[in-house]
């Protein structure tokens, strides 16, 4: 047995003081009697008045001495090592991936892991430091090297369950880093995964157990004149046969339902044909509950918008081509002259680089680079040399104030319908606007005759200009797995972006460069994205589904670790403080009862 604190032993000096007080206490009393019959008792009282005889048979003194001893013992924080070695540092790794949401003896694997970890923390000696690692999509430390057990337990309880995919082995490198200079430590992993910990001192508490679970792995659709065709893949990942109904919803409206029955490890694809639905969110759900609830539902957003088509008309401009290739959700087509353009093809945006079209396309928007005289705006010849600067505008976000050198440039007259974004002295070399329902952008110099293309901000400027000429939407894709980051493409002329998760919690993403991605895809369901553009609000949505490929399995077939049902293997020892305090309270109660009875 070890004593964590030795300073409370100084309170043992109270024991002689207590004895001295009892020596001073007057025990004899004077009585008027009518007979000498009690003289023998008087003699006994006289004998009891001697100092040391006062202490004989005094049960109250004994009880009070025991109270002092027990309380001082509790303050020393005695720790009895009976289950193994004492460790100065304890590291707890909590698997916080989607599979830990599986049911476990009336709760979930995660709740069972927290319960066992809390009991383990309470069983370790008070001088040990505690580190808690949250092993979700990426390992992170909830608390580091703390001796405060109550704080550690609070941090443990505050870990929120996530439906994400992750690898708990990623935490091993973190453990190796923080224990490199540590004298003694033990790492305890609470997980349902197979994990190799040969290189570190630790143990694995494996919470895998057999159960029933089916998952919806994917949902895809196609659309024709007869309606939607919806394909859904279902896999029985449990240990028993699974029977359920598969319901297909459009929004919250039930569209169709089918019965299914799957043997263990069996997969099947179900087709819903001629589905009449004009909304944008499909949802499929298994009606029979099983061990993991989140993989019984799957969502998919119906995209009825086509990708944006861009025609680049240029002889050769590798800088421009590379900048355009970084823009998602667009298809780029290329030709080297206006004569090679197919008049029947339709594009969302035409980019004419050092080529001025004779026939303006009737449909689609345009970007003219180094244009000649045309019917849209005036070009008054060419000027020699200067320094360009990007001015404040709707397409200059993150590039405003950028300066660059130009060898020569066109003397343009900015029309009233356009907004300028690039100047040389007082002359506008770049502007953008809308004329007769067509968005038009202009850059008034050959990109090869400047060092603008060498600037790191050039791709950003092209993103802004192209984004102002076509509608690419705010999202590059609309279907994600839990834990995936969502890249958002906001309008540069708008306000901050708001993202609302399925639980109604909202996060604001400010328009700062580099734009922060949305990372809180912890819950399955439909997420709403919105942005204010003046008085208009543009909205879109995306879906997040459970990572069934990595987190839906109910059995860990490769694991050789037996499932630990009890907690004894986790206990570091027995802390005697609480027992000593309880004994002191019991003795105080006994003393009070004796006092009431006149002792």
């Amino acid at each position: 047995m070890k004593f964590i604190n030795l300073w409370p032993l100084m309170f043992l000096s109270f024991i002689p003081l207590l004895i001295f007080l009892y020596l001073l206490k007057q025990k004899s009393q004077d009585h008027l009697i009518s007979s000498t019959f009690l003289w023998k008792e008087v003699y006994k009282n006289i004998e009891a008045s001697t100092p040391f005889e006062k202490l004989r048979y005094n049960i109250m003194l004994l009880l009070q001495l025991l109270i002092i001893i027990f309380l001082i013992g509790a303050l020393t924080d005695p720790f009895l090592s009976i289950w193994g070695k004492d460790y100065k540092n304890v590291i707890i790794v909590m698997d916080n991936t989607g599979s830990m949401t599986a049911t476990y003896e009336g709760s979930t694997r995660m709740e069972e892991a927290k319960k066992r970890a809390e009991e383990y923390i309470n069983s370790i000696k008070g001088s040990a430091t505690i580190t808690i690692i949250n092993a979700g999509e990426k390992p992170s430390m909830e608390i580091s090297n703390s001796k405060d057990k109550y704080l550690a337990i609070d941090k443990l309880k505050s870990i929120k369950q996530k439906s994400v995919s992750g690898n708990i082995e990623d935490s091993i490198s973190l453990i190796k880093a923080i224990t490199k200079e540590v004298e003694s430590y033990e790492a305890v992993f609470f997980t349902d995964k197979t994990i190799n910990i040969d290189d570190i001192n630790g143990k694995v508490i494996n919470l895998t157990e057999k159960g029933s679970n089916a998952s919806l792995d994917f949902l895809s659709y196609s659309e024709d004149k007869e309606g939607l065709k919806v394909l859904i893949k279902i896999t029985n990942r449990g240990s028993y046969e699974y029977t359920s109904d598969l319901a297909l919803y459009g929004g919250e409206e039930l569209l169709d339902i089918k019965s299914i029955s799957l043997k263990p490890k069996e997969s099947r694809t179900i087709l819903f044909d001629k589905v009449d639905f004009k909304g944008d969110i499909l949802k499929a759900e298994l009606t029979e509950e099983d061990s993991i609830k989140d993989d019984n539902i799957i969502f998919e957003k119906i995209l009825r918008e086509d990708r944006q088509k861009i025609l680049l008309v240029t002889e050769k401009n590798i800088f421009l081509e590379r900048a355009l290739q970084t823009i998602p959700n667009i298809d780029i087509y290329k030709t080297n002259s206006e004569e090679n353009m197919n008049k029947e093809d339709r594009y969302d945006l035409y980019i004419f680089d050092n080529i001025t079209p004779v026939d303006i396309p009737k449909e689609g928007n345009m970007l003219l680079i180094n244009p000649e005289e045309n019917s849209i705006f005036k070009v008054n010849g060419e000027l020699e040399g200067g320094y360009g600067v990007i001015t404040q505008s709707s397409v200059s976000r993150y590039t405003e104030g950028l300066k660059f050198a130009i060898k020569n440039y066109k003397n343009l007259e900015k029309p009233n319908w356009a907004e300028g974004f690039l100047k040389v002295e007082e002359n506008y070399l770049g502007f953008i606007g809308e004329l007769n329902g067509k968005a038009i952008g202009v850059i008034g110099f050959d990109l090869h005759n400047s060092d603008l293309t060498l600037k790191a901000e050039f791709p950003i400027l092209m993103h802004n200009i192209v984004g102002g000429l076509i509608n690419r939407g705010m999202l590059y894709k609309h279907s994600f797995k839990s834990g995936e980051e969502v890249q958002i493409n906001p309008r540069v002329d708008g306000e901050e972006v708001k993202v609302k998760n399925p639980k109604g919690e909202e996060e604001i993403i400010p328009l700062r460069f580099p734009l922060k991605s949305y990372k809180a895809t912890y819950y399955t369901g439909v997420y709403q994205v919105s942005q204010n553009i003046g008085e208009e609000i543009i909205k879109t949505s995306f879906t997040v589904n459970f990572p069934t490929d990595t987190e839906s399995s109910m059995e860990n077939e490769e694991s050789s670790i037996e499932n630990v049902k009890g907690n004894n293997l986790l206990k570091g020892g027995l802390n005697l403080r609480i027992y000593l305090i309880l004994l002191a309270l019991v003795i105080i109660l006994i003393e009070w009862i004796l006092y009431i009875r006149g002792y």
Side-chain angles (χ1 to χ4, degrees), residues 21-30 45 48-49 54:
L21 291 176
Y22 267 86
L23 291 175
L24 295 179
K25 185 177 180 181
Q26 180 65 40
K27 296 290 291 184
S28 61
Q29 297 181 11
D30 294 330
N45 283 336
S49 65
K54 292 181 180 180

Side-chain angles (χ1 to χ4, degrees), residues 511-567:
L511 290 185
R512 290 197 298 264
F513 182 78
L515 188 69
K516 184 177 70 172
S517 58
Y518 181 74
K519 300 179 181 180
T521 55
Y522 305 138
Y523 310 109
T524 59
V526 181
Y527 290 67
Q528 304 294 334
V529 185
S530 63
Q531 184 186 24
N532 288 357
I533 312 294
E535 297 182 355
E536 178 188 4
I537 301 178
I538 58 174
K539 297 181 179 180
T540 189
S541 60
F542 62 89
T543 61
V544 173
N545 294 310
F546 192 85
T548 59
D549 53 338
T550 59
E551 301 299 325
S552 288
S553 177
M554 288 301 298
E555 297 183 45
N556 197 346
E557 297 176 353
E558 299 179 359
S559 177
S560 61
I561 302 169
E562 295 183 359
N563 193 14
V564 180
K565 292 295 183 182
N567 292 293

Side-chain angles (χ1 to χ4, degrees), residues 309-325 331-338 340-341 347 349-355 367 369 447 462:
K309 296 171 60 178
I310 295 179
L311 178 63
L312 174 60
V313 186
T314 182
E315 292 184 359
K316 187 176 183 180
N317 193 330
I318 190 171
F319 300 106
L320 180 60
E321 291 178 33
R322 287 180 176 176
L324 293 175
Q325 288 171 359
D331 294 321
I332 303 174
Y333 302 84
K334 182 182 174 183
T335 185
N336 58 5
S337 71
E338 184 181 5
N340 295 331
M341 292 171 53
Y347 299 92
L349 176 63
Y350 296 84
I351 300 178
F352 294 96
D353 177 42
N354 287 313
I355 296 174
L367 173 60
I369 301 176
L447 294 175
M462 293 310 302

Side-chain angles (χ1 to χ4, degrees), residues 174-183 185:
L174 178 59
I175 292 173
K176 289 181 179 179
I178 63 180
T179 59
K180 191 174 182 180
E181 305 296 333
V182 171
E183 182 178 346
Y185 75 93

